[in-house]
């Protein structure tokens, strides 16, 4: 009996200690985010393109080696593993943000911790506008930023039940408006002679989406610039004269164009900050964050920064196995996954930079744990 009693006491003490620990833990997490709502293109897509598009369009993406490093299977991410949003979700103790397509198809129950609306190929500008500028030459993705924001508005009544409830949810929610705007440049031909006209429009579309989200109740927003696309394997034109490339081998013209766009996005964000002083809008310098590893690849364990780790090539068109392509031995030593997208290893460094504040102005709230 006596022993039993003391056991009970120990159990009780343990439980109290645990509950205090629990409270400390809750105390630490106070102020952190409890949901993520995200918009963008293939650099942020976690399954919307595969969820909404014709499977014949996406044969490669639906097979390994996509997902091989982390998930062990393809997930609709254009990556060998986790992307930036996944690392950020982990850091704040959140689940991987489910794609809106899975919500629509009834595969996701809990949407209170976030939804990802990003679709590969998406543009900041309305897709029909892009089509008109391309003389109707087709594009694959019609789900541009305005469409994605429209999905969010449509979903909102299922997210929260009334103004008070929505305010409570959004007070703790982190919104990512992009990155987006790289596809616009690409689909319009990376054209310098029209950039003076198109870049302000692209930035206006991003600004419009940000304002809509603020009006819908968002109070913590991240608006990223675009990465140095001139260092992205799939965009580097080969065989040009040497002066077209910088000392790292990146295609200068493209980077200059992205820099112009980023400068205007940053400017637009600083104007939004003045206009909406009650919300926190972080400009994330994606370009600078990615340049960390392009400038010093060895420091991050990369031995190859311009060639892709995976080049898909079907050796048998019927079987569509893609095994006749190239697959690098260790994706962690490559920055580029499949030509147009980063490897998990590269995304991890960029995600770290989103959180730690060197490239986020202002920095995000303290995460529960470090990205590892
Ligand atoms: C850039 O746009 C101009 C004006 O529309 C056009 O004449 C030119 O062919 C375009 N260049 C490229 C590379 O698309
Ligand atoms: C941004 O919103 C304004 C006001 O609704 C609208 O007139 C303008 O066309 C929008 N711009 C873009 C690029 O969507
Ligand atoms: C291609 O794959 C299909 C289906 O697996 C198979 O029937 C066919 O024999 C293969 N062709 C070649 C040339 O290997």
């Amino acid at each position: 009996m006596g022993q039993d009693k003391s056991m009970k006491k120990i159990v009780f003490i343990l439980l109290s200690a645990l509950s205090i620990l629990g409270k400390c833990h809750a105390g630490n997490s106070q102020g952190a985010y409890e949901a993520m709502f995200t918009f963008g293109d293939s650099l942020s897509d976690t399954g919307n393109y595969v969820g909404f598009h014709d499977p014949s369009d996406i044969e490669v993406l639906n097979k390994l080696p996509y997902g091989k490093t982390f998930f062990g299977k393809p997930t609709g991410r254009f990556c060998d593993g986790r992307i930036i949003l996944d690392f950020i979700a982990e850091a704040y103790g959140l689940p991987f943000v489910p794609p809106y397509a899975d919500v629509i198809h009834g595969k996701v129950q809990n949407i209170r911790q976030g939804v990802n609306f990003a679709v590969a190929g998406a543009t900041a500008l309305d897709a029909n506008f892009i089509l008109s500028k391309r003389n109707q030459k087709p594009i694959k993705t019609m789900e541009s930023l305005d469409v994605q924001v429209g999905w969010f508005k449509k979903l909102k009544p299922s997210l929260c039940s009334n103004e008070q409830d929505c305010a409570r949810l959004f007070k703790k929610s982190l919104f990512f408006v992009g990155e987006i705007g790289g596809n616009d440049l690409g689909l319009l031909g990376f054209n310098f002679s029209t950039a003076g006209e198109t870049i302000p429009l692209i930035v206006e579309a991003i600004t419009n989406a940000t304002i809509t989200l603020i009006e819908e109740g968002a109070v913590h927003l991240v608006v990223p610039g675009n990465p140095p696309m001139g260092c992205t394997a799939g965009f580097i034109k080969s065989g040009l004269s040497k002066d077209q490339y910088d000392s790292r081998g990146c295609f200068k013209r493209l980077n200059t164009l992205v820099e112009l766009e980023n400068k205007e996005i940053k400017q637009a964000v600083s104007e939004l900050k003045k206009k909406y002083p009650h919300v926190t809008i972080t400009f994330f310098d994606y370009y600078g964050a990615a340049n960390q590893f392009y400038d010093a690849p060895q420091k991050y364990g990369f031995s190859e920064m311009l060639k892709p780790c995976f080049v898909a090539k079907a050796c048998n068109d019927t079987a569509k196995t893609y095994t006749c392509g190239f697959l690098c031995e260790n994706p962690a030593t490559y920055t580029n996954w499949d030509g147009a997208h980063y490897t998990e290893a590269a995304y991890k460094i960029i995600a770290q930079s989103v959180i730690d504040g060197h490239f986020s102005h202002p920095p995000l709230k303290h995460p529960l744990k470090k990205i590892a």
Side-chain angles (χ1 to χ4, degrees):
M1 273 292 267
Q3 217 180 6
D4 217 57
K5 220 173 189 172
S6 67
M7 270 303 277
K8 267 187 190 149
K9 216 171 188 173
I10 288 170
V11 169
F12 174 75
I13 290 166
L14 260 176
L15 281 176
S16 318
L18 281 175
S19 90
I20 288 166
L21 273 175
K23 275 182 193 133
C24 283
H25 189 73
N28 281 340
S29 73
Q30 203 170 30
Y33 311 105
E34 292 173 7
M36 280 166 65
F37 297 97
T38 50
F39 304 84
D41 56 28
S42 57
L43 299 180
S44 313
D45 193 344
T46 55
N48 284 318
Y49 193 87
V50 293
F52 284 136
H53 286 248
D54 173 6
S56 67
D57 224 28
I58 43 175
E59 215 79 62
V60 189
L61 187 61
N62 265 339
K63 293 195 190 303
L64 285 168
Y66 281 89
K68 94 181 210 35
T69 301
F70 186 79
F71 299 97
K73 60 176 195 282
T75 62
R77 287 166 177 78
F78 291 67
C79 188
D80 58 313
R82 288 162 291 181
I83 61 170
I84 297 171
L85 299 179
D86 297 320
F87 285 112
I88 292 174
E90 282 183 337
Y92 289 102
L94 296 172
F96 294 137
V97 192
Y100 179 63
D102 283 1
V103 176
I104 290 298
H105 298 143
K107 295 185 198 163
V108 177
Q109 309 316 325
N110 177 16
I111 55 174
R112 286 278 289 201
Q113 287 181 292
V115 178
N116 180 12
F117 300 91
V119 187
T123 49
L125 285 166
D126 183 82
N128 287 307
F129 179 84
I130 300 275
L131 281 175
S132 73
K133 289 283 171 188
R134 283 164 60 87
N135 297 316
Q136 302 304 318
K137 202 172 134 205
I139 59 176
K140 284 195 166 174
T141 303
M142 296 303 286
E143 299 92 344
S144 44
L145 185 57
D146 51 342
V147 174
Q148 295 177 23
V149 170
W151 287 341
F152 171 75
K153 286 167 78 169
K154 216 170 100 188
L155 191 66
K156 201 174 150 191
S158 321
L159 275 172
C160 44
S161 47
N162 55 45
E163 214 158 289
Q164 208 177 9
D165 185 36
C166 291
R168 196 167 46 221
L169 173 66
F170 294 155
K171 208 176 114 192
K172 296 265 186 175
S173 298
L174 185 56
F175 286 75
F176 277 84
V177 192
E179 50 70 0
I180 196 152
N183 286 323
D184 300 64
L185 297 179
L187 292 169
L188 299 176
F190 293 118
N191 194 331
F192 266 92
S193 59
T194 53
E197 179 201 330
T198 51
I199 287 179
L201 281 176
I202 294 168
V203 176
E204 192 179 293
I206 296 172
T207 303
N208 281 2
T210 309
I211 291 173
T212 303
L213 291 171
I214 293 170
E215 283 169 352
E216 291 294 328
V219 285
H220 303 286
L221 303 101
V222 179
V223 182
N226 278 272
M229 294 170 82
C231 301
T232 298
F235 298 123
I236 304 176
K237 249 196 188 145
S238 58
L240 301 175
S241 64
K242 232 180 135 192
D243 64 340
Q244 298 276 345
Y245 308 98
D246 68 17
S247 58
R248 306 168 302 175
C250 302
F251 189 18
K252 286 199 281 195
R253 236 173 63 89
L254 270 196
N255 277 349
T256 306
L257 202 57
V258 175
E259 279 170 30
L260 286 175
E261 183 172 275
N262 288 345
K263 208 173 131 205
E264 294 201 21
I265 295 175
K266 190 175 178 185
Q267 179 59 35
V269 170
S270 77
E271 276 158 31
L272 284 171
K273 284 181 188 175
K274 282 184 222 144
K275 197 169 162 198
Y276 299 97
H278 68 289
V279 306
T280 311
I281 313 173
T282 290
F283 172 74
F284 172 59
D285 177 10
Y286 203 131
Y287 192 99
N291 265 341
Q292 292 178 104
F293 54 73
Y294 286 127
D295 288 343
Q298 306 82 359
K299 187 180 158 192
Y300 298 94
F302 294 121
S303 51
E304 181 56 70
M305 66 165 204
L306 298 179
K307 291 204 187 95
C309 169
F310 174 56
V311 182
K313 184 166 168 270
C315 34
N316 178 339
D317 278 339
T318 317
K320 291 257 169 74
T321 52
Y322 301 99
T323 44
C324 288
F326 167 79
L327 178 62
C328 74
E329 214 158 275
N330 183 4
T333 62
Y334 279 66
T335 61
N336 190 294
W337 169 240
D338 62 359
H341 311 101
Y342 295 105
T343 53
E344 174 182 280
Y347 279 138
K348 184 172 163 183
I349 294 157
I350 298 169
Q352 242 144 13
S353 307
V354 174
I355 292 175
D356 72 16
H358 290 107
F359 296 90
S360 307
H361 316 284
L364 302 189
K365 294 185 180 187
H366 280 299
L368 280 179
K369 58 177 186 157
K370 278 184 109 132
I371 288 172

